[in-house]
Amino acid sequence: MVLYKLEDFEPSYQESFDGHDIKGLGVYTQGTDEKVGTVSDVLVDEEGHFRYLVVDLGFWIFGKKVLLPIGRARIDYNIDRVYTIGLTREQAEDLPEFDERQTLDYDYEERVRGVYRQPTDYNLPVEAATPLDPLAGLDPLGTPVAPLGTTPTYARDSYTYENEPALYGLNEQDHQTLRLYEERLIASKRRQKTGEVTIGKRVETDTARVAVPVERERVVIERVTPADAGTAVSGREADFREGEVARIEIHEETPEIRKEAFLREEVRVRKVVDQDTVETQETVRREELDVNSGNLPVEER
């Protein structure tokens, strides 16, 4: 059976006790109110059940720490005290010293239990009592019980803390608790797909117009009257020739159109997250305490 320190098992254990911290509470003997020491730690089992209070016996035995089974303690948060049930100074002296570096095995716990055990604690059914003991009896259901006034024996492999409620059970008279529950809304988020955006390209055609200045050549024939018109010329000068031709080349410009591709723009696709607050409501239940005391005085704290 593995034991853990309360804080190692549940770091936020104080929330379960309404902010109270059992560590540091004074330990007193029940009835005499003699201070024994203080609680230095709590040991719990694998399921988180309290099994031992680690008590520093500074007021009885300086520098000695011992284990106090939870069934031998009564915790009173109203006055911040822990009362030991039946613990004597002689028992405290006989208890093995608790050392955090020491392994808490079955043998060590048996040494602790052996000091606290009282024969009168075992007049109830005990699971591991020696059933073949001729002095052992049976309860009305046929379960073997340890003989009154004797201490039962236990098997190492089958021992459980439930075998000894006198040591590990919570005394109903001293530990009555009525738990009131309430429901609370726990907000969480679930990521879900709401849609999909597809981004692609398509080719569109359009008619583009461009103005191109061009040049065209044309022939202009001008007839003019020379200044010496009407003047007689000699026969040599008057050279009449038939079929004489003047040739002039005519040119014109025509537009030539070609296409080139240019980068027009870039399109960048990315996602952004918008923050928003969504309010929702639900019906929750809560338990309230109804006290029916008749005419008896009842104080609520």
Side-chain angles (χ1 to χ4, degrees):
M1 291 171 285
V2 181
L3 296 176
Y4 305 89
K5 289 184 178 181
L6 178 59
E7 188 171 7
D8 294 338
F9 184 86
E10 178 53 63
S12 57
Y13 69 92
Q14 294 183 10
E15 297 179 1
S16 301
F17 299 95
D18 297 329
H20 294 290
D21 194 348
I22 189 173
K23 293 192 293 184
L25 296 184
V27 180
Y28 297 79
T29 57
Q30 191 175 40
T32 62
D33 278 357
E34 180 183 0
K35 189 167 185 178
V36 174
T38 57
V39 177
S40 63
D41 218 322
V42 181
L43 301 183
V44 300
D45 61 14
E46 296 176 343
E47 297 181 355
H49 298 302
F50 279 29
R51 294 308 180 188
Y52 296 101
L53 301 181
V54 181
V55 179
D56 186 342
L57 299 175
F59 284 78
W60 270 4
I61 307 173
F62 180 77
K64 183 178 182 179
K65 292 182 180 180
V66 298
L67 297 184
L68 176 65
I70 192 63
R72 296 289 189 180
R74 182 173 65 86
I75 305 171
D76 191 339
Y77 285 113
N78 294 323
I79 57 176
D80 292 334
R81 283 190 177 188
V82 175
Y83 289 99
T84 63
I85 302 175
L87 179 65
T88 64
R89 185 185 292 266
E90 290 73 18
Q91 286 179 317
E93 293 174 351
D94 293 338
L95 284 170
E97 185 171 359
F98 172 75
D99 187 348
E100 296 181 356
R101 297 167 296 182
Q102 180 181 356
T103 302
L104 299 182
D105 55 13
Y106 176 83
D107 293 330
Y108 177 85
E109 288 191 73
E110 272 297 293
R111 292 172 57 196
V112 174
R113 288 190 282 262
V115 175
Y116 287 105
R117 283 175 181 144
Q118 298 177 9
T120 55
D121 293 335
Y122 300 94
N123 54 358
L124 296 175
V126 178
E127 181 179 290
T130 53
L132 299 181
D133 189 333
L135 299 178
L138 300 177
D139 66 5
L141 299 179
T143 304
V145 297
L148 186 61
T150 63
T151 301
T153 58
Y154 297 93
R156 175 190 298 267
D157 297 333
S158 62
Y159 180 85
T160 64
Y161 293 112
E162 286 71 22
N163 291 150
E164 298 187 89
L167 296 183
Y168 302 105
L170 295 180
N171 186 296
E172 293 185 359
Q173 180 178 355
D174 296 329
H175 300 87
Q176 293 188 48
T177 301
L178 181 61
R179 295 186 176 182
L180 303 179
Y181 296 91
E182 70 176 5
E183 294 177 329
R184 297 180 181 178
L185 295 182
I186 306 300
S188 61
K189 296 185 292 185
R190 176 170 55 89
R191 187 180 180 89
Q192 63 181 8
K193 182 178 178 180
T194 57
E196 185 177 73
V197 177
T198 302
I199 301 175
K201 297 192 301 182
R202 71 176 186 274
V203 178
E204 294 186 351
T205 59
D206 197 1
T207 300
R209 289 179 173 82
V210 61
V212 181
V214 296
E215 293 181 351
R216 294 187 181 91
E217 296 178 343
R218 57 189 176 90
V219 176
V220 178
I221 300 175
E222 295 182 355
R223 293 185 179 187
V224 298
T225 301
D228 56 352
T231 303
V233 296
S234 65
R236 287 194 305 271
E237 294 181 13
D239 186 9
F240 291 94
R241 297 180 182 181
E242 185 177 356
E244 185 176 1
V245 177
R247 298 180 181 276
I248 300 176
E249 293 184 350
I250 304 298
H251 299 85
E252 71 174 7
E253 296 177 334
T254 59
E256 292 184 355
I257 305 299
R258 62 187 179 88
K259 295 186 287 186
E260 291 185 0
F262 295 88
L263 178 63
R264 179 166 60 93
E265 63 178 338
E266 287 183 346
V267 178
R268 297 178 181 177
V269 180
R270 60 189 179 93
K271 296 192 298 183
V272 296
V273 178
D274 295 328
Q275 301 289 339
D276 196 4
T277 301
V278 179
E279 292 187 358
T280 184
Q281 63 182 19
E282 185 58 76
T283 302
V284 296
R285 298 175 296 173
R286 181 177 64 252
E287 294 180 337
E288 295 291 348
L289 187 65
D290 289 331
V291 179
N292 184 6
S293 61
N295 295 325
L296 297 178
V298 176
E299 178 183 356
E300 291 189 26
R301 298 184 179 182

